[in-house]
Amino acid sequence: MVATPGAEGQQKPPATPAAASGSKPAAAPAAASYAQRFATLCASCHGANGRSVLPLTPVLAGQPSLYAITQLFLFREGRRSDPAMTAVAKTMTDDDMRGFSDYIGTLPPVPAPAPAAPPDPARMAKGRALAEQYKCLFCHGADLGGGQQVPRIAGQHEEYLRESLRGFHAGTRPGYTQAMTAAVSGIPLADLDTLAWFAARFGGK
């Protein structure tokens, strides 16, 4: 969510996490095959269009493919822990990780459902100020759309963002680098919660 100069996305990333592990590069898988496999394996939790309706299941629509493959790699190697995702990722070859992440990278952003009431303008302004203060925009972009190994957080589920930020703050949520842990470890939890609230309702403008 929050990053500092030299954080994730500001340094030259490896070609893929699989390459970083020493795995032998392989030919790019067929896109159509992984679109079908996504529909069978992933859509029940993450949504057919990549927008999950489950609060703690992240929205994949609009995520960069390099970010997606990084997370699959972390799950496969046991560096991130989630029973469902670990079980899925453990079965993936390097080709599978490339195929699924490349397909995810083609999914366009899907707006969040309209809230019952418009977001509080004062709290949105506070969230924007915090995003600038803590340099969230430096890596995630002015539209919070991310890029390369930096996730799109605009329109992400508030609950997922809050749990992720609190995990980075506590040092229990691993990343491909320590950038996020270093960036948020000194931020008050109340500010992290406001940032999660803001990003979930931010339309990318």
Side-chain angles (χ1 to χ4, degrees):
M1 172 68 182
V2 186
T4 56
E8 286 185 33
Q10 299 307 310
Q11 59 191 17
K12 184 178 180 181
T16 65
S21 71
S23 301
K24 184 178 178 180
S33 169
Y34 282 95
Q36 294 167 357
R37 292 178 66 181
F38 181 93
T40 300
L41 185 62
C42 311
S44 60
C45 290
H46 289 283
N49 61 357
R51 176 148 202 109
S52 168
V53 298
L54 306 173
L56 291 175
T57 300
V59 176
L60 300 183
Q63 296 297 347
S65 60
L66 184 54
Y67 176 74
I69 198 173
T70 298
Q71 301 312 303
L72 288 174
F73 173 76
L74 293 176
F75 282 120
R76 190 182 72 176
E77 302 303 309
R79 292 166 62 181
R80 277 193 70 180
S81 179
D82 176 271
M85 281 304 305
T86 299
V88 169
K90 286 290 187 183
T91 69
M92 290 187 180
T93 65
D94 289 354
D95 277 357
D96 288 334
M97 292 203 306
R98 292 187 187 93
F100 280 111
S101 61
D102 285 349
Y103 175 70
I104 289 168
T106 70
L107 297 174
V110 177
D120 175 43
R123 196 175 186 195
M124 287 296 288
K126 176 63 181 291
R128 161 68 80 169
L130 291 175
E132 294 174 353
Q133 175 185 344
Y134 295 125
K135 298 182 171 61
C136 305
L137 309 183
F138 186 86
C139 283
H140 291 278
D143 63 352
L144 300 183
Q148 296 202 23
Q149 283 182 309
V150 179
R152 176 184 180 84
I153 55 176
Q156 183 59 267
H157 293 305
E158 178 185 355
E159 296 85 350
Y160 179 79
L161 289 172
R162 182 174 60 245
E163 291 303 307
S164 295
L165 286 170
R166 284 176 169 254
F168 284 124
H169 185 274
T172 57
R173 162 70 188 267
Y176 194 62
T177 74
Q178 293 298 309
M180 279 297 298
T181 298
V184 307
S185 59
I187 298 176
L189 291 177
D191 284 355
L192 293 181
D193 291 349
T194 298
L195 285 166
W197 184 92
F198 165 73
R201 291 160 178 79
F202 184 67
K205 298 180 180 178

